[in-house]
Amino acid sequence: MRTLVLNAGYEPLAVVSFKRALVLVMNDKATVVERLEGEPVWAASGSWERPAVIILTRYVRVPGSTHVPVTRRGVLRRDAQRCGYCEKSATTIDHILPRSRGGADSWENLVACCLRCNNVKGDRTPQEMGWELRVVPRPPRGPQWMVRGTDRSDPRWEPYLALAA
């Protein structure tokens, strides 16, 4: 079971195990905002409700930029596992401008692609094939991309992830 951790300003920070969340709550570093009803955590000294969302009591400054690194998994997730050319189920990624022609590994140059389209396209551009992209590839935005682990989110997290968007 995972727990969403919010900063004191209600922006999502991380997803941690419920054990780590419970330790933060017990040490008065966080308070429980949402809990899982009917699933208590039992200990020798008592029981606690299992936290689903916690908020830190003090604001934590997060260093770093808002840059989301490009990964194969991320491209497939951004494009909802759909081919950018035929909209069938995608299992690979394709460079719109092929690497052999100087195409970069960037969010704007990568698109999810089905195996058939990827093999047929080869090292050509969509224009040379007479194909049209069904989506405009862009870098992903939103808190679900900035906080690791929110891709497998709990429905209770949605209101808190929507606040930060």
Side-chain angles (χ1 to χ4, degrees):
M1 193 54 54
R2 309 294 280 166
T3 302
L4 177 65
V5 179
L6 303 174
N7 209 343
Y10 278 88
E11 61 267 5
L13 274 184
V15 177
V16 298
S17 70
F18 82 89
K19 291 177 185 177
R20 175 70 179 133
L22 206 51
V23 167
L24 288 169
V25 170
M26 294 169 83
N27 289 328
D28 294 325
K29 294 185 186 275
T31 56
V32 178
V33 178
E34 294 269 340
R35 52 185 45 114
L36 295 171
E37 299 297 328
E39 295 185 36
V41 177
W42 294 94
S45 59
S47 69
W48 293 272
E49 289 294 325
R50 193 177 302 248
V53 180
I54 62 171
I55 185 167
L56 297 178
T57 54
R58 298 179 70 179
Y59 187 82
V60 175
R61 188 173 123 6
V62 181
S65 67
T66 59
H67 174 71
V68 180
V70 179
T71 62
R72 176 184 176 280
R73 186 183 202 176
V75 172
L76 289 169
R77 183 174 151 215
R78 176 198 67 188
D79 296 345
Q81 311 284 334
R82 293 278 157 218
C83 180
Y85 303 112
C86 70
E87 293 188 343
K88 290 183 181 172
S89 180
T91 56
T92 64
I93 60 171
D94 179 58
H95 288 78
I96 299 165
L97 177 63
R99 282 192 291 185
S100 62
R101 299 186 185 187
D105 287 333
S106 67
W107 287 108
E108 295 83 2
N109 192 46
L110 292 170
V111 67
C113 191
C114 69
L115 191 58
R116 182 181 175 280
C117 288
N118 207 346
N119 286 334
V120 170
K121 182 177 170 283
D123 67 344
R124 293 172 286 202
T125 64
Q127 292 79 17
E128 292 171 347
M129 297 292 297
W131 290 0
E132 190 174 309
L133 273 171
R134 306 223 188 267
V135 294
V136 177
R138 292 191 176 106
R141 295 186 327 214
Q144 62 272 22
W145 291 94
M146 303 314 294
V147 181
R148 292 187 65 209
T150 56
D151 52 336
R152 296 179 295 274
S153 65
D154 185 321
R156 287 176 275 270
W157 300 353
E158 294 305 321
Y160 305 101
L161 293 174
L163 285 174

